[in-house]
Amino acid sequence: MEGIVVKNLSRDFAYYEKEAGMKSSVKNLFHRAKQIRHAVKNLSFEIQKGEIVGFLGPNGAGKTTTIKMLSGVLYPTSGEVQVNGYVPWERKKEFKKQFAYVAGQKSQLWINLPAVDSFALNKSIYEISDTQYRQTLGELVELFGVQEFLKVQVRRLSLGERMKMEMIAALLHRPKVILLDEPTIGLDFIAQNNIREFLKDYNRNNGATMLLTSHYLKDIEELCQRTMVISHGNLVYDGTLEQIQDVFSNRRILNIHWNSPVQKEALVSLGTVKSWEPMRAAIEVDDAAVAQTIHRLFAMFSVGDIGIDAAPLEESIARLYEQGA
Amino acid sequence: MKKYKTAFFVGVSNSMEYRFDFFMNLLSTVFPIIMQVFIWCSMYNGSDGETMYGYTFPQMIMYVVVAGAVGKFTNTGVEYMVNEDIHSGGIAKYLVRPVNYVGFCLCNIVGNKFASMITMVFVTLGALLVLFFAVDFVAAPAALLLFFPSLALAAVLNFYIFFCLSTLAFWLTEIGNFFHAISVVIMVMSGGVFPVSVFGSAYETISRYIPLTYTINYPIRILSGAVGAEEAVKVLCIQLIWIFILAVLARCSWNLGLKKYVAVGG
């Protein structure tokens, strides 16, 4: 079966704690209290072939741990995973040939070499034919516009350039499943956009399955039809981003411009004042109270202009994050 | 197979990137040898007999000079590469790819050392030439012919010895200093500083049954003619057997370490 199936996946880590100070350092030499952290708890989901799924969650939620288990770099404590029908941690050659792992924070290239040498190495590791290699490389290099950097040692490249090289290296063998761990971290918005466009293209042209983690909502918004939110190792949401908004935000923001200055104190009775300047204000209210509040505003003040926005998506997601605790 | 060939060439170009390091490495070989020559000069001057530890003065000078070059030749430095890969999480990039790490490492290291190995061969030949004029040392053609294969096997053997040691990095977090210490011990025990006979006959006997002396001591004794042609072939066979044993050991300890690694994560 193509796609990703995860059933009751759990992963615990053992670690040791040390109290501050010299005395406990000595004590720790002889006895260390072992602690267990449940990084991933009983995670289950399915990803269809060709789907792009976003994986959201605060730092330490278990995103990277999950991705590592899906790529076979980590054994689970319990549970099952199948990626295109393979169990990742058996690390079968056929499996490795059809997936790619891209990590924004850990280079998959040989940093002392120019990128083009790393590509050549990948070519022979994945046993890519000369024609396919030339064609794919040509396409990818043109798409990213990195022709001039191919022969520069990777360690001398800027983060954005390096990341583009990482993507090229990961996709040379035309993987069917791509696991991306924060591919856009630390990039400027142009480079982020490049990477996003590129992934979209690749997905469209190759029907590849993708799971990607990111802290940038824009990545998820633009790329993913579906979003999973994980918090404290639990899957707390699985659906579209818009739905998060609907389910979790019954709050609206009224952006008002006045014709004459209005004091902040005069607004407190109407709702939560999010921002205030003499000539304008933003007030958060319950969506049921929107109409009534607007009525009162018009009755009380001279309103020049008024706009109604949904509460920012970040706030809804932040609420989701809290749920997993 | 092609992937390992590429790994080799990647190693070659990797080593070329840092030319300064390359020449410093060369220079660092020469200084200790010169020091040793002076030490042995004064020791032979101070002694009454013709030989010390079974070596005449020319033989001893030949030994320390060639040992310096051979030691450099066979020292692969694989332990630092493996340690770095394990602790920085760099091995993930091999784990997710269809490639065998040990084989990749071997080819990459041989490639990496290729330039310096070639240089070392010339340094050794040059040293022999100097020795020829300085102490009337002459190597037999058969000895020379057998010396180079034994040298190549010595380098591979050394690679596997250190690869096995470096898998300790899976279990120990801070291991850099351990490598420094152990590599000096191994160097001395292999006969990389002075002949093994200096340590007495007891160790000389033991040394026949451990792989270490086959990395430096035996190749030199083949070159000097202390080990005859017939026995030299035997030495080559023993080297091959040790390579086989250690390759199996390397594979086992790598797999064992990997189990632990993927259990705790990097």
Side-chain angles (χ1 to χ4, degrees):
Chain A
M1 199 218 108
E2 295 205 45
I4 301 173
V5 183
V6 173
K7 265 188 221 143
N8 307 326
L9 189 66
S10 296
R11 173 70 222 204
D12 298 340
F13 286 110
Y15 66 102
Y16 301 100
E17 262 180 7
K18 190 188 89 66
E19 305 280 323
M22 185 64 199
K23 203 172 137 195
S24 52
S25 291
V26 175
K27 208 176 96 196
N28 263 25
L29 275 178
F30 301 101
H31 178 75
R32 295 188 293 182
K34 195 168 167 183
Q35 315 267 343
I36 301 280
R37 195 164 68 87
H38 306 285
V40 172
K41 298 175 205 157
N42 213 15
L43 210 60
S44 296
F45 59 84
E46 274 186 34
I47 297 174
Q48 303 300 320
K49 176 182 187 284
E51 239 187 325
I52 308 186
V53 176
F55 212 10
L56 272 178
N59 291 327
K63 301 185 301 287
T64 302
T65 306
T66 307
I67 290 240
K68 276 187 173 168
M69 287 191 278
L70 294 186
S71 52
V73 182
L74 206 58
Y75 284 122
T77 305
S78 65
E80 289 169 40
V81 175
Q82 289 214 328
V83 178
N84 274 8
Y86 294 96
V87 177
W89 47 88
E90 286 174 0
R91 293 195 296 276
K92 292 225 171 75
K93 197 176 167 192
E94 302 78 42
F95 166 67
K96 289 177 180 177
K97 277 187 156 184
Q98 47 180 277
F99 96 104
Y101 170 63
V102 180
Q105 313 240 52
K106 258 180 200 164
S107 182
Q108 302 281 304
L109 301 168
W110 285 263
I111 57 168
N112 287 330
L113 300 175
V116 71
D117 277 358
S118 273
F119 298 158
L121 196 54
N122 272 315
K123 169 185 181 287
S124 41
I125 286 177
Y126 286 104
E127 294 158 345
I128 306 168
S129 73
D130 285 345
T131 27
Q132 197 203 326
Y133 175 70
R134 263 197 305 274
Q135 191 201 340
T136 317
L137 185 62
E139 256 172 49
L140 296 177
V141 167
E142 193 179 335
L143 212 60
F144 276 128
V146 287
Q147 184 69 48
E148 53 187 317
F149 305 119
L150 279 180
K151 290 174 184 154
V152 182
Q153 236 188 352
V154 170
R155 67 159 78 244
R156 291 178 212 280
L157 294 176
S158 75
L159 186 61
E161 292 154 1
R162 202 202 81 200
M163 212 45 229
K164 289 174 187 170
M165 298 301 185
E166 298 271 355
M167 297 299 271
I168 295 176
L171 300 179
L172 275 175
H173 62 291
R174 302 223 166 246
K176 293 183 195 153
V177 175
I178 310 176
L179 304 168
L180 302 119
D181 194 9
E182 305 193 27
T184 54
I185 194 162
L187 300 185
D188 64 49
F189 65 92
I190 299 175
Q192 283 187 18
N193 213 27
N194 272 331
I195 302 260
R196 281 198 289 265
E197 285 305 316
F198 176 75
L199 287 173
K200 247 191 268 182
D201 261 15
Y202 187 84
N203 171 262
R204 215 177 8 242
N205 298 333
N206 297 276
T209 314
M210 297 185 189
L211 176 63
L212 115 156
T213 74
S214 179
H215 286 297
Y216 302 111
L217 275 179
K218 194 129 193 273
D219 285 348
I220 311 280
E221 268 179 321
E222 290 205 357
L223 274 173
C224 309
Q225 301 96 339
R226 182 176 148 204
T227 305
M228 294 192 292
V229 180
I230 180 174
S231 176
H232 300 274
N234 297 305
L235 189 64
V236 293
Y237 178 80
D238 188 347
T240 61
L241 266 190
E242 295 80 47
Q243 241 177 355
I244 296 184
Q245 191 83 320
D246 294 346
V247 174
F248 288 93
S249 174
N250 44 8
R251 310 291 290 173
R252 295 286 178 272
I253 310 278
L254 303 178
N255 290 301
I256 315 139
H257 284 254
W258 318 109
N259 289 326
S260 56
V262 168
Q263 292 300 308
K264 190 178 180 182
E265 291 71 33
L267 300 170
V268 175
S269 66
L270 293 163
T272 319
V273 181
K274 296 290 256 188
S275 69
W276 176 85
E277 281 170 55
M279 292 303 284
R280 61 170 146 186
I283 307 170
E284 189 185 305
V285 294
D286 209 77
D287 60 353
V290 169
Q292 188 204 350
T293 311
I294 292 176
H295 254 291
R296 288 176 64 193
L297 280 168
F298 275 97
M300 291 161 73
F301 314 104
S302 167
V303 175
D305 180 40
I306 193 162
I308 308 167
D309 288 321
L313 185 55
E314 280 84 353
E315 285 185 14
S316 312
I317 291 173
R319 283 211 226 161
L320 262 179
Y321 286 178
E322 286 158 17
Q323 284 201 341
Chain B
M1 225 47 254
K2 199 161 164 243
K3 58 186 82 166
Y4 301 105
K5 200 175 94 193
T6 318
F8 169 80
F9 285 115
V10 162
V12 174
S13 48
N14 216 343
S15 71
M16 301 291 187
E17 288 286 344
Y18 299 101
R19 277 163 295 183
F20 180 72
D21 188 53
F22 178 73
F23 287 115
M24 284 320 281
N25 189 20
L26 201 60
L27 213 62
S28 72
T29 319
V30 179
F31 280 122
I33 294 177
I34 293 175
M35 262 163 50
Q36 279 231 41
V37 171
F38 279 115
I39 292 170
W40 287 112
C41 272
S42 62
M43 281 183 72
Y44 275 92
N45 278 337
S47 84
D48 306 320
E50 265 291 297
T51 62
M52 288 179 88
Y53 309 108
Y55 284 76
T56 63
F57 177 67
Q59 280 172 341
M60 185 59 90
I61 294 302
M62 178 266 175
Y63 188 95
V64 297
V65 171
V66 178
V70 171
K72 211 72 188 176
F73 182 91
T74 54
N75 171 23
T76 55
V78 61
E79 66 273 23
Y80 294 101
M81 180 174 162
V82 176
N83 183 34
E84 165 82 22
D85 275 341
I86 291 173
H87 286 145
S88 71
I91 62 167
K93 84 174 161 227
Y94 302 97
L95 290 182
V96 299
R97 288 185 165 74
V99 65
N100 172 296
Y101 184 77
V102 187
F104 184 93
C105 251
L106 178 61
C107 297
N108 189 257
I109 289 271
V110 171
N112 220 326
K113 299 279 295 186
F114 189 68
S116 58
M117 279 178 167
I118 294 295
T119 322
M120 275 309 148
V121 169
F122 283 107
V123 169
T124 312
L125 288 176
L128 290 178
L129 202 68
V130 173
L131 289 172
F132 172 71
F133 289 112
V135 293
D136 287 331
F137 169 78
V138 189
L144 254 179
L145 223 61
L146 286 161
F147 169 67
F148 285 106
S150 78
L151 193 60
L153 289 178
V156 178
L157 182 55
N158 191 289
F159 168 86
Y160 279 115
I161 292 173
F162 277 92
F163 191 96
C164 289
L165 281 174
S166 57
T167 53
L168 284 174
F170 279 120
W171 290 274
L172 305 167
T173 325
E174 267 311 316
I175 202 168
N177 286 326
F178 168 75
F179 285 145
H180 276 297
I182 202 80
S183 66
V184 171
V185 173
I186 286 179
M187 181 83 168
V188 173
M189 283 177 71
S190 310
V193 184
F194 23 72
V196 171
S197 58
V198 172
F199 303 114
S201 59
Y203 179 70
E204 230 186 329
T205 315
I206 297 169
S207 76
R208 260 178 245 151
Y209 304 101
I210 58 173
L212 297 184
T213 40
Y214 293 91
T215 63
I216 301 180
N217 197 44
Y218 275 104
I220 300 175
R221 290 183 64 196
I222 290 175
L223 180 68
S224 70
V227 169
E230 208 167 296
E231 213 193 324
V233 175
K234 222 166 88 190
V235 168
L236 291 181
C237 291
I238 297 174
Q239 281 182 318
L240 277 172
I241 293 168
W242 273 120
I243 288 173
F244 177 77
I245 294 172
L246 286 162
V248 171
L249 192 66
R251 184 62 61 87
C252 293
S253 62
W254 174 256
N255 286 341
L256 211 65
L258 208 54
K259 279 231 172 69
K260 186 188 175 267
Y261 179 84
V262 290
V264 291

